[in-house]
Each structure stands twice: as C-alpha cells, then as structure tokens.
Amino acid sequence: LRLCSKAPHSATREANLAALAASRQRLLQADGEDLGQEDELADELRAFCARHALWPHGTETLVLRHFRVGGRGLAAAADLSAGDTVLAVPESLLLSSERLSSYDGLAAALSAAAGDSLHDDVRLSLALLLEIARDQAGAWAEYCRFLPERPPSALHWASRQLQRLAHTPLVGRVTAAREALREAHAALFPALSLALPQLFPPASFSWRRFLWAYTVVQTRGLVVGGGAEPRARRTVLAPVADLLNYSPTSPLAWPSLEAA
Amino acid sequence: TLALTFRLLSAVPAGRQLCLYY
C-alpha cells in the first residue's frame, strides 16, 4: 500500500489502491470468508499426501482449493482444533542447498565456476532443478505439477509492468536482482554442463528454467531451524507446505500455523 | 532430523484457508 500510494497519480494507481483496500476490507469482515472453489488437482494432491505419509496418523487434514484471492491453496478438510498437527513433511522430501553435497564432484565444479560466492537461494534453486532432472519418477518431479509455471515474483514482470511502479525504489531493485541472477547463471552455465554433462543437461538448466526455480525458492522457501543460532538457519522447500499461503495477495486474516 | 511438522495455533472450521504465520 505504501509503495502504491507513492506512485504517480494515474488510473492504474487508483485501480491498484482500490483493489488493495478491498482486499484489506475482506480481511476485516467476519462474513467475508472465502471458502474457495474445488481445485482440479485436489485428487492428485490427496494421493500425493497419502503416498508420502504427509498426514499425521493417516487422517486427511487438508484439501486443495482454489481461492478467489491468492489462487491455489490449502483448506481444512474438516473442523480442526487448536494444537492439531495438520501436516508433517518427512526429511527425505525436504530440499535444501545441502542436497548439492550428495553429488560427486559437484562441490569442486561449483567452486571452479563461481567461487564460493553463490547465494544459498541460488544453490537451492540448482538443487531443485537437479532433483527434477535426476529422478523423473521422484517425489519432486511428481510435485512439480502443483508448482506454478510463473511464481508471483517481480522477477517475472515485463518491463511494461515494472514501469507502472516508476518512481518507486522497486524498479531499481528488481532490475538489479534480475541482473545479478543473470550473472550467476552465466557463471554456472555452460561451465557446469561441460564439467558434469550427465548431471547438467543444458535443456534442464536454461536461463528460463533457472529463473523459474529461483522464483519458486523466493516465493515458497521456508526459513527453518537455528533457534538461538542464526547461522544454523536454512531455507528449505517443503512439498505441500509451500501451498500454505504462498501468494503475496492471499488473505492473512487467519494466522493459524507455525512451523516447528 | 529435519522433518517439519505444522501445528494449528487456533481452531479452523472446515473449508477455511490455512495460512502460515511468520
């Protein structure tokens, strides 16, 4: 709202402000509850959760729905009580940048291509693409159908869309972030594909795929762990859990979950 | 181990969307 208020007066600005105000109003109204529509992939997600034991005690707790604001998300499958555990993601399905160390020769190849300066989010993006490319029948390749083709990140905006926010700090930040990501990709590829052709087939690690994976991390990564030790914190991708309010436009009037 | 469990902070009626609380 603050960024939008600072934009120059225009029809777009007024429309954006009205949409944001309406969204805020819905959060404040008790009768503004959006129960969403059935999602076409609801059965597939149910099967995924059952197959990978994501529901505690085998009881169905969540259902995939399509919400008017925020799109695809998770709803309670039945009345749930405070304290109920609704989702448990096993360690084998969690993806963090540490997964990269399980590939022989990758640490050396990464270091040769990009030094030790790679951001953890870039490393996690690589881990995601590797996981999908490595095992076509694996859980992450299977889970891809629930991930958006175009995650809601400003990095995907066309310059025409960015220009609507001209005169805000956002334009410079988005441009710089895209440029830094392009440089990271250019440092890694084709170097990694030449060094480890079996692991990095070029088609699976194009700029387009790389940007997609990075924006998945950006919009769906969860920062977990660490406790009192910030250096022990890490970003993980957790299937199904990432559907809990992934969208920046989702209503937040129901703050009901914590990660433990 | 790094398994993640998600627990409700408040009751949620059937059909209502769930959100992570940061």
Side-chain angles (χ1 to χ4, degrees), chain A residues 179-205:
Chain A
E179 191 51 40
L181 199 60
R182 269 215 180 267
E183 282 173 16
H185 183 258
L188 294 172
F189 296 99
L192 290 178
S193 298
L194 293 170
L196 299 165
Q198 302 289 335
L199 270 186
F200 294 102
S204 302
F205 295 88

Side-chain angles (χ1 to χ4, degrees), chain A residues 21-58:
Chain A
S23 174
R24 182 170 185 276
Q25 193 56 35
R26 274 195 299 276
L27 305 184
L28 299 174
Q29 284 172 350
D31 61 353
E33 293 186 5
D34 174 16
L35 299 182
Q37 309 279 319
E38 276 183 43
D39 191 287
E40 57 183 8
L41 293 180
D43 288 342
E44 279 95 317
L45 190 81
R46 187 176 289 118
F48 182 91
C49 288
R51 195 156 48 245
H52 297 286
L54 289 159
W55 284 321
H57 322 300

Side-chain angles (χ1 to χ4, degrees), chain A residues 41 62 69 82 108 135 160-161 201 215-216 232 243 248:
Chain A
L41 293 180
L62 302 171
V69 179
D135 185 3
R160 179 178 47 81
Q161 291 172 298
T215 54
V216 165
L243 287 162

Side-chain angles (χ1 to χ4, degrees), chain A:
Chain A
L1 267 171
R2 273 200 303 274
L3 278 173
C4 210
S5 309
K6 284 181 184 170
H9 283 273
S10 69
T12 305
R13 171 187 180 273
E14 300 312 317
N16 285 343
L17 277 173
L20 285 166
S23 174
R24 182 170 185 276
Q25 193 56 35
R26 274 195 299 276
L27 305 184
L28 299 174
Q29 284 172 350
D31 61 353
E33 293 186 5
D34 174 16
L35 299 182
Q37 309 279 319
E38 276 183 43
D39 191 287
E40 57 183 8
L41 293 180
D43 288 342
E44 279 95 317
L45 190 81
R46 187 176 289 118
F48 182 91
C49 288
R51 195 156 48 245
H52 297 286
L54 289 159
W55 284 321
H57 322 300
T59 309
E60 191 172 312
T61 45
L62 302 171
V63 62
L64 191 66
R65 305 278 290 176
H66 195 91
F67 296 92
R68 191 161 50 87
V69 179
R72 184 165 281 160
L74 295 169
D79 290 348
L80 301 169
S81 308
D84 282 355
T85 298
V86 291
L87 191 64
V89 187
E91 186 182 9
S92 58
L93 293 191
L94 292 175
L95 199 58
S96 79
S97 62
E98 285 175 16
R99 189 68 63 96
L100 294 180
S101 60
S102 66
Y103 297 96
D104 286 342
L106 181 49
L110 270 180
S111 193
D116 297 320
S117 62
L118 276 187
H119 192 281
D120 190 61
D121 287 353
V122 172
R123 296 168 59 83
L124 177 52
S125 309
L126 269 186
L128 174 61
L129 292 178
L130 269 170
E131 196 68 13
I132 294 166
R134 180 186 63 88
D135 185 3
Q136 299 287 321
W140 274 101
E142 183 187 1
Y143 188 69
C144 271
R145 63 184 318 180
F146 303 106
L147 296 172
E149 289 176 17
R150 200 171 178 273
S153 162
L155 294 179
H156 285 296
W157 291 357
S159 56
R160 179 178 47 81
Q161 291 172 298
L162 255 187
Q163 283 314 308
R164 292 181 185 169
L165 288 167
H167 309 296
T168 73
L170 203 61
V171 179
R173 286 189 205 172
V174 172
T175 307
R178 262 185 80 98
E179 191 51 40
L181 199 60
R182 269 215 180 267
E183 282 173 16
H185 183 258
L188 294 172
F189 296 99
L192 290 178
S193 298
L194 293 170
L196 299 165
Q198 302 289 335
L199 270 186
F200 294 102
S204 302
F205 295 88
S206 63
W207 161 246
R208 194 180 58 80
R209 293 289 297 158
F210 188 70
L211 177 62
W212 170 80
Y214 184 81
T215 54
V216 165
V217 170
Q218 206 183 32
T219 55
R220 291 165 177 252
L222 298 171
V223 180
V224 299
E229 179 51 79
R231 278 179 303 179
R233 286 177 167 248
R234 56 182 43 80
T235 304
V236 299
L237 289 172
V240 186
D242 71 292
L243 287 162
L244 293 162
N245 181 39
Y246 65 83
S247 168
T249 52
S250 283
L252 280 165
W254 206 260
S256 45
L257 287 170
E258 64 174 356

Side-chain angles (χ1 to χ4, degrees), chain B:
Chain B
T1 60
L2 190 66
L4 279 184
T5 57
F6 295 85
R7 194 165 51 81
L8 292 173
L9 288 179
S10 57
V12 181
R16 188 64 208 258
Q17 188 175 13
L18 296 161
C19 295
L20 275 176
Y21 177 61
Y22 278 92

